[in-house]
Amino acid sequence: MKKYQLNNFGLFLCFVVLILASCTAEFVPDPIDPRLPKYTEDGNNVAGAYVGDNIWESSVTIGFPYYASDKPSIKVWQEKDSLRLRFVGNVDKEQLAIEFHLTELGMIQFEDLINLNGQKISLDGTNNLAYLKANYLSSTNNKGIGQVYFRNVRHSKDKSSIIISGTFGFALSDYYEYPLKVRSGRFDYRIYETDFNPEEN
């Protein structure tokens, strides 16, 4: 009887390890600049970009129990037909979030993310825009203008998540009103239903 219980516990531990492994980042260096992750479409849970002359890098880390860092989040407001996509990362060990505020995408439920596949969205600074936020507080009141391109959005093989992969770039002004460019941005994340947060108001 004890042997059976240990076997069940062992299976449970294996399951937990597999879940954690599937959520943790796999950083594949870019062949041109290995400080950045290579653009991939495998759900590697990484993102990267140049912010000015600095490297911004996001690598999701999952720990046990109840610990996660640099997880992306998506929030939708159905009434306003708007979506906020947040990628959390670091520049020189300081936390910095890159946010995209997008409209008119018809996002209501988790499965609607698939509709982003292949969409190039112009960030015009009015209807669609980008922000840089330090410690979740806006580091600038300026709105980023550029483009985010959802190059590949699909279900994972086991259907437990949606893999979103793409590229981005935008320009804005920093805290001191100097021009700042975010360029060569790339992301490759697994999005789970728990990362998708609809709001009624």
Side-chain angles (χ1 to χ4, degrees):
M1 186 69 174
K2 287 184 179 179
K3 186 177 180 182
Y4 178 78
Q5 289 174 340
L6 286 173
N7 286 341
N8 276 347
F9 182 70
L11 288 172
F12 171 74
L13 282 180
C14 288
F15 176 75
V16 169
V17 168
L18 286 172
I19 291 295
L20 295 180
S22 69
C23 297
T24 301
E26 181 179 343
F27 188 96
V28 179
D30 185 270
I32 296 172
D33 188 342
R35 297 175 299 168
L36 289 172
K38 178 183 177 181
Y39 175 75
T40 54
E41 297 179 348
D42 302 316
N44 285 343
N45 281 326
V46 295
Y50 294 102
V51 176
D53 295 326
N54 299 309
I55 295 290
W56 172 85
E57 189 255 321
S58 171
S59 293
V60 176
T61 302
I62 306 294
F64 185 77
Y66 314 120
Y67 170 79
S69 67
D70 290 0
K71 282 192 73 178
S73 69
I74 296 177
K75 188 166 280 191
V76 294
W77 287 267
Q78 183 178 347
E79 282 185 5
K80 298 178 181 178
D81 195 7
S82 65
L83 174 149
R84 185 201 68 201
L85 178 60
R86 173 186 283 160
F87 301 147
V88 181
N90 293 278
V91 173
D92 292 332
K93 298 182 180 179
E94 295 292 327
Q95 189 177 76
L96 181 71
I98 293 178
E99 283 190 9
F100 300 101
H101 294 215
L102 310 174
T103 60
E104 299 180 4
L105 294 173
M107 294 288 155
I108 298 173
Q109 57 189 358
F110 178 65
E111 289 295 322
D112 293 334
L113 288 176
I114 293 295
N115 298 332
L116 291 172
N117 186 44
Q119 288 206 43
K120 288 183 182 178
I121 298 175
S122 176
L123 304 171
D124 58 12
T126 304
N127 297 313
N128 300 307
L129 47 97
Y131 286 108
L132 291 180
K133 294 192 173 183
N135 295 320
Y136 296 99
L137 299 174
S138 179
S139 60
T140 173
N141 290 322
N142 295 289
K143 300 167 183 178
I145 296 173
Q147 184 185 80
V148 57
Y149 179 15
F150 295 93
R151 295 172 64 170
N152 193 311
V153 182
R154 59 182 174 82
H155 286 101
S156 60
K157 288 182 180 178
D158 63 3
K159 305 292 185 183
S160 66
S161 61
I162 291 175
I163 295 173
I164 62 168
S165 307
T167 53
F168 61 89
F170 56 90
L172 72 176
S173 298
D174 68 11
Y175 183 80
Y176 301 102
E177 298 300 319
Y178 289 110
L180 180 65
K181 286 189 176 180
V182 177
R183 57 192 174 84
S184 297
R186 70 284 309 269
F187 58 90
D188 181 22
Y189 288 110
R190 289 178 181 268
I191 303 294
Y192 294 87
E193 196 155 4
T194 53
D195 303 318
F196 185 89
N197 302 297
E199 294 283 346
E200 293 183 0
N201 297 317

